[in-house]
Every structure is written in structure tokens, then in C-alpha cells.
Amino acid sequence: MDSPLLSLLAGLALFLFGVRLAGENLQSLLGPGMRRLLAQATRTPVGAALVGTLVTAAAQSGTLVTLLTVQFVNAGILGLRQALAIALGAGVGGTLTVQLLALHITDLKTPLLALGLLLSTPRLLGGRVGRAAVGFGLLFLGLEMLLAALEPLENNRLARELLTALAGTPLIAAVIGAALSLLLQSSNAVATLVLAFVAGGLLSLEQGAALVIGANVGTTVTAVSASAQGSVDGRRAAVGHLALKVLGALVALVFIGPLTGAVAAISDAPLHFVANLHTLFNLLVLLASLPLDRWTTWALRRAIPTPPSEDGPRYLRAEALEEPELAYGLAFRETVRIAEEVERIFDLAVRSVRGQDLRQDIQRQEDNVDDLTGAVVLYLGRLGGRLEGGRLAALLGIVSELEALADLSKRLSRQPLKLLAHGRRFSAEGGQELGALAAQLQERMRRVSTALSLRRAPEDALGEFSLEIVRHRMLHLERLAQNLDSQQSSSVHLDVLTILEQLQAGLSRIIRLIPRL
């Protein structure tokens, strides 16, 4: 006769294999649709949380969804707020498996295994439906073996004392749960073990609750490890997910008694208690975090600052070209970086108009923008035919406009040099007017850059700036007839106004392209 320990391990092995078999085939059935749904998650945190919950409930892998979310943040497809909401929603959706197991409908194991065998023919979606059914059958079979293996230990005093010593306090139990979850790479596996031990009378409800709470923390560590080589926002998303779960766990452990009593009151059996606590803990963390999402992202950006800018493409990766949506996101992220570089070049150009000589800095940064735009254009060219043409054309158009804006900013910086070469300067009034106009355009450029990063066109139009240019031309012509100083700098003054107008036109074209991304 097998020992209870061997039967326990065999049941756990069957459960884990069933989780893997069902999860892999469900994910394969969902295919690109799952990635597309995550990539196009609604911009509101509530909508993103719902997407994370639904996708994970279907794919049965919260860890996979969290890793995909971090990957999409690295690619610039998702923002930090949406990523945190999706990851927390995935924690809720992932508890569906344990809820099904808590129903203790083990009579389904035989029909599921038989149905899986019949549906495993390659002609039916490559046999994936059948293999998914077999996986669910093994889940129930594994749980039945776990419960059977623990029956002999129910009245074993030594086993009870050993478990009580290991999980003597809620904090120790939570640490053990986190370690087991990290080892098994599944909080559901730990929750299922706890479910079996609590149902067998070997653990109290409070000990089981602490173990499940710890397991939900341990499963978030995988994404933190995977994000180490990604973008700074990817690291923020993974660390933020871990931090929110840790904070939620600490609060739950402080109130472990009332929490256990409340969950026990709505659960009619130990099996349901474990499943309900697993779901409610994740749901409460999600609901508590959503109203604080802006503060959370602010804190993460302070805790994990963006490193200094480096020359050369930072996000374009050749291996990502195998997945067009991911590659497009990487190219978009690089484009946002180019927009930030152009903004810096224009700031230097404005300072040049006010009298500083920053030609070398502007030339170096403008050369870098040329290199980056060339790299993005080549990268997007390799996606031709594999992505919707309108989105590709819009991003290429924005890259082209940004390159032109950098070149115009460089031209703007050189205008005062024409006067200095002849020992002249702008008149006091003319210099003030040009400085004020340039400052207005600086603010508009910042708004457009922010709008681009959010893929949302700004509400305020730039058309008013054209009227400002016309008004300043008229003021300049009026001053020109009266002021000799203005006559000496007139051509350069008008050239500056023309360049500012061209810069404004470029920003307007970018605004029109943003909704098509």
C-alpha cells in the first residue's frame, strides 16, 4: 500500500500536469486573440482590470497573463496604470480553477477524461479541445487523490502537531505559502493543497487563510524576475504588482481573525472557504488599488526613476518582428522617445534665439534623431503586409514629421547667427515677441508629445497659433516703418516667424495622425 506522502505527491503531480495541459491548450485555442485583447485593453483601469480577469479566467494562467502584460509595457503597447490593473485583474480570474475544484464535482473526472480522448482527434482544432478536457479531468482526479491521501492523517496527532508547528503563526504560514507558490510557480497549486489539508482537518481555517494569502504574494515574483532586462516601465509594473500584493497581504494578516470569520460565514464547507478566500483576497486588493492607481504610478516612478537617455535605438528588437503587434509597439515606444529628443532640441533652439550659442549640442542631438528615425523606418519596413496598413502609415508619417521638426529646430537656432555675423541683434521689442511666440510653441510641443505617448489627440487645436503668427507679422511691419533697429533685423525676424509657423504645421499634422495609431 502506498504511503500517504507518496499519494499526496502523486495527486499534486497530476493536478500540476492537468493545470499545464489545460492551460497550454486553452491558450493555444485563444491564440493571437488573447494577445490582441490584452494589447487593446481599454484605457480606463476598470476596463483593463475586467480584461485581465476575463482573459485569465479563459487562459487559466495568471502568471502568463502578468508576464504578457509586462512584455506589452516593455513594448509601449500598455501604460503603467493599465498594466497594474490587468495584473491585479488576472489574480481574480485565476481563482476560477479553485472555485471549480471547491464544488467537489469529482464525478466529472471520468466523463471529462473520456470526452477528452474522443475530442483529441487532430481534425478538431488540432486536438486542443480534447487535450484541454483531459487537463480538467486530471485536475479533478488530482484533487481526489489529495483528499484520499490525507484521510489517514486526519486523526494522526503527530501530523497535526507538525503542521501546527510549521504554520504556528499567520506570518510564518504566509511565508511558507509564498515559498511554495514560488517553487510550484502557481498560487492555485498551493490553494489546492491548502484546500485538501483544511478539508482533511489537518489545518485550521486561519492557518489555511494565511497560507493562501502568502501564495498570492509568491506568484508575483516570477514577473519581477522576468522584467529585470526590460524597460523601466516594465520593471515598475512588475514591482508595483508585487508591492500591492504585499501590502494587501500585510493588512489581511493583521485582520486575519475577522477576515477568516467573515469568509467562513459565507462558506458552507471548508472547501468553499479556501476557494472563497482565494478569490476575495485578490478581489479586495484589486478594489482597494483602483482608486489609488494615479498615486501608485507616481510612487513607482519616484522609486524606480528613468535612467539617463542613451544614443541609439533602445527598444527595437529583431526577435520581436516575429510578432507584428509586439514589434509595432516597440517601434511606437522608440517614436515616443524620438519625440522627447525633438522636444529637447527645440528647447535648445529657443535658448539660441535668446542669445546662447548651443550649435554643437543641437547638431549632436539632431544627428541622433536622424539615426533613430532611420532605424524606426527600416524596422517598420520589415513589418509590411503583416500589420494593418493605416496604423503603419500613421506611425511612419509621425516619424517623418518628427525628423522634419528636428531639422526646423536646428534652422531656427542658426537664425540669430546671421545677425551676430554683422554685429547686430534683434530689437528689444522684436526679441521679446519672438521669445513669447517660441515659448507658446514649446508648450504646444509638450502637449503634442504627451498626446502621442497616450495615443490620444489633444483637445486644444493649434490653429490659433497661426493667427498669432499673422498678428506678429503685422506688428513687425508696423514697427519696421518707424524703427531703424527693426529694419536691420527684419529679414531674420521674418525667417524666424516662418520657421515657427512651419513647426506649428508639423505639430498639426502629427495631431491628425495620432488617432490612426
Side-chain angles (χ1 to χ4, degrees), residues 49 53 83-93 241 244-245 282 285-286 289-290:
T53 301
L84 287 172
I86 289 174
L88 292 171
V92 178
H241 185 212
L244 290 171
K245 284 292 182 74
N282 283 283
V285 171
L286 171 63
S289 302
L290 284 178

Side-chain angles (χ1 to χ4, degrees), residues 177-243:
L180 284 173
S181 180
L182 187 58
L183 178 67
L184 299 175
Q185 293 291 293
S186 171
S187 60
N188 279 345
V190 178
T192 303
L193 271 175
V194 172
L195 186 148
F197 274 88
V198 171
L202 294 168
L203 287 174
S204 68
L205 294 183
E206 190 171 299
Q207 289 172 327
L211 283 164
V212 170
I213 289 168
N216 278 286
V217 173
T219 195
T220 63
V221 176
T222 302
V224 176
S225 303
S227 70
Q229 301 302 318
S231 70
V232 65
D233 265 350
R235 293 197 299 277
R236 287 168 180 156
V239 171
H241 185 212
L242 171 62

Side-chain angles (χ1 to χ4, degrees), residues 148-484:
L150 293 175
E151 280 183 7
L153 299 177
E154 186 173 353
N155 297 314
N156 188 309
R157 182 179 176 184
L158 179 62
R160 286 176 173 276
E161 290 180 352
L162 180 61
L163 287 170
T164 300
L166 286 174
T169 65
L171 182 59
I172 293 174
V175 171
I176 292 172
L180 284 173
S181 180
L182 187 58
L183 178 67
L184 299 175
Q185 293 291 293
S186 171
S187 60
N188 279 345
V190 178
T192 303
L193 271 175
V194 172
L195 186 148
F197 274 88
V198 171
L202 294 168
L203 287 174
S204 68
L205 294 183
E206 190 171 299
Q207 289 172 327
L211 283 164
V212 170
I213 289 168
N216 278 286
V217 173
T219 195
T220 63
V221 176
T222 302
V224 176
S225 303
S227 70
Q229 301 302 318
S231 70
V232 65
D233 265 350
R235 293 197 299 277
R236 287 168 180 156
V239 171
H241 185 212
L242 171 62
L244 290 171
K245 284 292 182 74
V246 168
L247 287 173
L250 290 174
V251 173
L253 291 174
V254 169
F255 298 100
I256 190 72
L259 177 64
T260 301
V263 177
I266 61 171
S267 308
D268 54 8
L271 288 172
H272 296 137
F273 169 82
V274 175
N276 289 340
L277 186 129
H278 190 31
T279 300
L280 284 172
F281 172 75
N282 283 283
L283 184 60
L284 289 173
V285 171
L286 171 63
L287 293 177
S289 302
L290 284 178
L292 304 174
D293 62 328
R294 291 184 184 276
W295 182 90
T296 303
T297 53
W298 175 84
L300 286 168
R301 289 191 173 102
R302 292 292 299 270
I304 308 175
T306 303
S309 177
E310 299 172 4
D311 293 340
R314 187 182 299 170
Y315 303 107
L316 306 182
R317 298 202 306 270
E319 63 272 16
L321 289 165
E322 297 177 6
E323 299 184 39
E325 196 68 41
L326 177 60
Y328 181 86
L330 290 170
F332 171 76
R333 187 65 177 266
E334 200 71 58
T335 303
V336 171
R337 183 181 167 218
I338 293 171
E340 293 169 353
E341 288 288 325
V342 171
E343 195 179 329
R344 280 190 281 270
I345 293 172
F346 184 68
D347 287 345
L348 292 175
V350 172
R351 288 161 60 188
S352 296
V353 170
R354 291 170 177 163
Q356 297 185 46
D357 186 0
L358 300 169
R359 282 175 293 176
Q360 291 184 350
D361 291 338
I362 291 173
Q363 184 63 55
R364 180 181 60 78
Q365 292 195 29
E366 200 265 342
D367 288 342
N368 186 40
V369 166
D370 285 345
D371 292 339
L372 290 175
T373 53
V376 171
V377 169
L378 290 174
Y379 192 79
L380 289 173
R382 297 172 68 180
L383 289 177
R386 294 190 294 151
L387 201 67
E388 196 270 312
R391 295 175 65 205
L392 203 61
L395 191 55
L396 282 168
I398 289 174
V399 171
S400 176
E401 292 294 344
L402 289 171
E403 185 177 21
L405 290 178
D407 185 60
L408 285 169
S409 297
K410 183 173 71 172
R411 283 178 53 199
L412 177 65
S413 70
R414 292 176 175 174
Q415 298 309 306
L417 299 177
K418 298 178 182 178
L419 293 176
L420 292 174
H422 297 88
R424 298 173 183 170
R425 293 182 179 275
F426 290 119
S427 67
E429 290 179 273
Q432 288 177 359
E433 288 177 6
L434 293 177
L437 272 177
Q440 287 183 44
L441 196 59
Q442 265 183 305
E443 179 58 30
R444 283 165 168 76
M445 188 174 286
R446 290 192 187 98
R447 291 181 184 177
V448 173
S449 181
T450 301
L452 174 62
S453 66
L454 297 173
R455 303 192 199 195
R456 185 181 300 163
E459 295 177 2
D460 56 325
L462 296 176
E464 295 179 2
F465 191 78
S466 294
L467 297 177
E468 282 289 299
I469 293 287
V470 172
R471 188 174 71 84
H472 278 80
R473 277 202 180 100
M474 296 302 296
L475 287 173
H476 175 70
L477 292 174
E478 290 174 5
R479 194 169 53 249
L480 187 61
Q482 304 170 8
N483 191 321
L484 183 61

